[in-house]
Amino acid sequence: MTGTVVGSYTIPYNSTDPCNLDGWSAAADTAASADVNLAAYARKVYVMPRSSCPASGAGDVGGARTRAWVFTCAVPDVYAHELG
């Protein structure tokens, strides 16, 4: 696996806001687009602080372009599961 790590970025949401993966991703992508050509990457992983989402992580299933979100950063198994 190869890739580029960028960030951290502050997005205009609070961790107590309703779980909004699409909104958070769009805001993070907007912030990151100044540092990297996001179109060059088919897979994106968003490492986020604990939030209102009821899981340690989430991920798209299938497709040519997928995203994964990790909310429990200190647990390597979450990364493995979401990237799996």
Side-chain angles (χ1 to χ4, degrees):
M1 176 183 291
T2 63
T4 302
V5 176
V6 295
S8 70
Y9 301 105
T10 300
I11 60 174
Y13 291 91
N14 293 309
S15 61
T16 55
D17 289 346
C19 187
N20 181 357
L21 300 177
D22 289 330
W24 297 343
S25 299
D29 286 354
T30 297
S33 65
D35 296 325
V36 67
N37 175 11
L38 295 173
Y41 297 92
R43 314 274 184 245
K44 297 177 193 166
V45 179
Y46 302 90
V47 180
M48 313 286 284
R50 272 256 178 238
S51 71
S52 60
C53 293
S56 295
D60 292 335
V61 177
R65 303 188 79 74
T66 59
R67 302 169 298 174
W69 299 264
V70 175
F71 302 108
T72 306
C73 304
V75 181
D77 291 352
V78 176
Y79 292 92
H81 178 80
E82 299 310 332
L83 294 172

